[in-house]
Amino acid sequence: MNHLTKSPLDNAGATRRDALGLIGAGIALLAAGGARAEDDKVLTEEQVLRDPDIPVIGNAKGDITIVEWFDYNCPYCRKLAPELRQVVQDDGKVRLVLKDWPILGPVSKVAARMALAAKYQGKFDTAHEAMISVNSRITEPRIAELLSGAGLDMDRLKKDLDANAKAIDAILARNDEQAQAFGFNGTPSFIVGKYRVPGVLSMDQFEQVIADARKANMGRKTEQN
């Protein structure tokens, strides 16, 4: 069942693909194409917004969560990254969850696995910034160069990658299944609060959809009271 309804931003042509929607009350039913019953553990609000295996950037106790599905070799993701960080920093009450979705080839998957392995030495964000900040496609040798230059312990990274391979691959599988359930066709794609945003937004548009998400949250709280 599709629980998506349009937000006011659709009417304003706010997204590049005119595909912004609002996830309805049954976010357990996030699937845009209909989830199987066995997918429930992957497609719950907790797993989409608060997957415990993915580090949180920004305000971990923030009132709005932005989830981005991205690929390190996606030029739109690289271009958007500093603007998104600025929005999160300026707002001060946003949780940013970065979900690796390596759909642009084998090197993208290598980069995603390395970034997720970096969390075991407390440097997921460092690894992410090192790889998302480059201006061109990355290669495997370039990944090692970037991460080493950012101060990661490469020997430990390789050990953590081997030791946690199953957990890392499970994260990537969840990310992929969620993205497909939402009907995302490429990177970057977002959830902002309960809004589904498949495409690139400007800083002003991010600020607007964050404001809309807060209003939606306030409306639900009022109804519950």
Side-chain angles (χ1 to χ4, degrees):
M1 182 180 295
N2 190 339
H3 287 263
L4 301 180
T5 58
K6 289 186 177 181
S7 98
L9 289 182
D10 283 279
N11 297 328
T15 72
R16 185 163 56 90
R17 300 174 192 173
D18 295 322
L20 184 61
L22 175 62
I23 300 169
I27 200 175
L29 326 161
L30 300 168
R36 302 184 305 275
E38 60 266 28
D39 289 337
D40 284 351
K41 291 182 180 180
V42 174
L43 299 175
T44 63
E45 179 171 356
E46 283 299 302
Q47 285 293 348
V48 172
L49 302 182
R50 300 178 183 278
D51 189 327
D53 294 326
I54 299 178
V56 174
I57 296 169
N59 185 343
K61 296 182 179 180
D63 62 343
I64 291 295
T65 299
I66 295 178
V67 185
E68 178 187 7
W69 282 261
F70 72 96
D71 186 304
Y72 286 109
N73 268 327
C74 164
Y76 296 108
C77 301
R78 292 196 298 264
K79 182 178 180 180
L80 181 68
E83 295 183 359
L84 178 57
R85 286 298 185 107
Q86 191 64 51
V87 169
V88 171
Q89 180 179 322
D90 290 348
D91 183 280
K93 295 181 181 179
V94 172
R95 302 173 65 252
L96 177 59
V97 179
L98 299 169
K99 297 206 175 194
D100 290 270
W101 191 26
I103 57 176
L104 297 177
V107 173
S108 294
K109 187 169 184 179
V110 171
R113 297 182 81 246
M114 296 283 267
L116 289 168
K119 74 174 185 174
Y120 295 100
Q121 56 180 285
K123 292 189 174 181
F124 171 82
D125 194 17
T126 301
H128 175 77
E129 280 297 296
M131 292 189 285
I132 205 70
S133 298
V134 297
N135 295 321
S136 59
R137 289 184 66 87
I138 53 177
T139 62
E140 286 195 48
R142 182 66 172 142
I143 291 171
E145 179 183 320
L146 290 167
L147 297 183
S148 177
L152 275 79
D153 181 333
M154 298 304 290
D155 289 334
R156 177 175 175 180
L157 186 68
K158 292 174 183 176
K159 291 177 182 177
D160 286 337
L161 186 58
D162 290 340
N164 299 285
K166 185 177 291 186
I168 290 169
D169 288 341
I171 292 170
L172 295 178
R174 285 199 300 276
N175 293 351
D176 177 67
E177 188 166 358
Q178 290 167 3
Q180 292 193 46
F182 278 118
F184 293 146
N185 294 317
T187 55
S189 292
F190 300 89
I191 296 296
V192 181
K194 299 294 179 73
Y195 284 91
R196 171 182 173 273
V197 188
V200 177
L201 298 184
S202 69
M203 290 179 69
D204 287 345
Q205 289 165 344
F206 264 118
E207 291 169 0
Q208 182 61 57
V209 76
I210 289 169
D212 285 352
R214 284 201 172 104
K215 288 178 183 177
N217 283 348
M218 291 299 293
R220 281 191 294 273
K221 290 178 182 178
T222 300
E223 290 175 2
Q224 290 170 359
N225 292 334

